[in-house]
Amino acid sequence: MRVAALYDIHGNLPALEAVLAEPDVVAADIVVVGGDIAEGPMPREVIEALTSLGARVRFVRGNADRELVAAFDGVPDTVEPSSEWTALKRAAAGRITRAQRDFLWGQPLQLTLEVEGRGDVLFCHATPRRDDEIVTEMTPDARLRDVLAGIDACVVVCGHTHVQFDRAVGTKRLVNAGSVGLPYEGFPGAYWALIGATVELRRTDYDVEAAVERIRSAGVDAVEETVVAALLDPPNRDAATAQFERMASAGEPT
């Protein structure tokens, strides 16, 4: 069995469409969507595209999915009430249906699949214990061992920081699949992973400038300051990783 792991789509429908057209995604036995699905410019359309795949797709809920549901429910954002991301979140919440809200909320925080040639693989959004905990390729081994304590799976696949990595932690392997819709890799594209007898970090090219025009035409508030800015000038992966590590050291979720 081979699993295509698609994480952090963030409502970027053109990027998702490009990845779903990849032959290895079309041929994958299972597509795992690892959270932060819809908070972005085209939330309704992204959910529709994914659910149209039927039983072949499995979902994990991310922190942005949780926050989008809270915005839909009218819960005030007490962390960053005036930020561009909060404005984007509110706009996205106004575009999804009640059924889509319930769909997002109903997804599990983690999923374990038995992958032939690999054993049990656990899929979560950030870490197995929290949907907003920061781990990166720079995280000290001691903290990672604590994060993965009690996990039986031989491989843990995560996302959340929008930067791919693949590292060994004792007898376990921690893989960040990257971000389909909003990568912090310093280079445009849609980033994902293929999990089977081998673990492959993948990147899909697509027309980012054309995607930006589609995103702008959706008419969502704050899209220029958030999604468009990051797509046209992707953050450097090393700088992004270092910033995430500073946040983790300060005990800040993201």
Side-chain angles (χ1 to χ4, degrees):
M1 181 172 75
R2 294 207 298 176
V3 179
L6 315 185
Y7 277 62
D8 294 286
I9 299 163
H10 280 286
N12 184 343
L13 181 64
L16 174 62
E17 290 172 339
V19 172
L20 291 180
E22 285 276 14
D24 281 336
V25 175
V26 173
D29 300 284
I30 298 289
V31 175
V32 171
V33 180
D36 287 15
I37 298 165
E39 184 185 286
M42 305 172 82
R44 182 181 64 254
E45 296 87 343
V46 162
I47 294 172
E48 289 171 351
L50 291 169
T51 54
S52 72
L53 298 176
R56 195 167 67 96
V57 64
R58 311 283 180 85
F59 295 89
V60 171
R61 194 177 78 217
N63 65 302
D65 305 316
R66 167 173 53 80
E67 294 162 5
L68 183 57
V69 167
F72 184 97
D73 293 346
V75 178
D77 189 332
T78 58
V79 179
E80 295 181 299
S82 61
S83 75
E84 293 87 356
W85 277 105
T86 296
L88 179 63
K89 185 189 313 175
R90 289 171 179 161
R95 289 172 176 254
I96 63 173
T97 66
R98 163 62 66 171
Q100 289 176 329
R101 177 261 182 223
D102 294 344
F103 164 79
L104 290 173
W105 187 247
Q107 301 312 315
L109 294 176
Q110 58 182 250
L111 169 71
T112 300
L113 298 174
E114 185 177 351
V115 177
E116 186 176 355
R118 181 62 52 189
D120 282 348
V121 178
L122 185 149
F123 298 85
C124 58
H125 179 65
T127 71
R129 60 189 186 183
R130 268 177 47 188
D131 66 9
D132 61 356
E133 185 172 21
I134 299 169
V135 292
T136 76
E137 61 187 346
M138 293 173 57
T139 301
D141 283 354
R143 189 162 79 81
L144 281 186
R145 282 193 291 270
D146 183 55
V147 166
L148 300 176
I151 300 300
D152 293 329
C154 57
V155 178
V156 174
V157 181
C158 64
H160 187 54
T161 62
H162 300 206
V163 179
Q164 288 180 328
F165 64 81
D166 181 359
R167 58 181 291 188
V169 188
T171 61
K172 297 183 176 64
R173 189 170 182 177
L174 182 65
V175 177
N176 189 306
S179 172
V180 169
L182 202 64
Y184 300 160
E185 301 279 359
F187 196 79
Y191 293 74
W192 54 286
L194 189 66
I195 313 296
T198 61
V199 175
E200 302 174 32
L201 298 179
R202 297 290 190 90
R203 174 184 161 274
T204 297
D205 278 317
Y206 70 105
D207 190 334
V208 172
E209 291 188 359
V212 164
E213 290 310 307
R214 286 179 67 186
I215 286 168
R216 284 172 170 156
S217 69
V220 177
D221 292 343
V223 74
E224 290 291 333
E225 299 90 341
T226 52
V227 176
V228 168
L231 289 178
L232 293 179
D233 186 17
N236 175 274
R237 63 173 285 123
D238 292 338
T241 298
Q243 175 62 20
F244 281 126
E245 278 300 309
R246 285 191 291 269
M247 294 171 68
S249 296
E252 300 176 25
T254 185

